[in-house]
Amino acid sequence: MEIHSDSYRIAPLSDQEDVVEVIRQAESQIARMTGNPEVTLIAYEKTDPSRNGSN
């Protein structure tokens, strides 16, 4: 899947294990609730609008 946006980018969370664990738990709960085992949540962060999508 490709998602393109000048306003947001994927949030770099590799050094924030507690945040990543919360996302994993949310994925698990959503998977249970929907019956779909293939749930993936993506964390985005707003980009600096002055950079005009140069990321």
Side-chain angles (χ1 to χ4, degrees):
M1 170 178 24
E2 290 188 35
I3 300 172
H4 301 278
S5 173
D6 292 338
S7 300
Y8 293 89
R9 67 179 181 172
I10 293 176
L13 301 175
S14 59
D15 294 337
Q16 300 179 29
E17 189 58 36
D18 54 338
V19 176
V20 173
E21 184 56 30
V22 168
I23 293 170
R24 286 183 184 133
Q25 290 173 9
E27 288 173 337
S28 178
Q29 290 177 5
I30 292 169
R32 255 193 319 277
M33 292 170 71
T34 63
N36 179 359
E38 299 296 326
V39 174
T40 301
L41 299 179
I42 302 170
Y44 285 97
E45 65 183 11
K46 195 134 178 101
T47 57
D48 183 354
S50 66
R51 290 171 40 187
N52 293 326
S54 62
N55 48 348

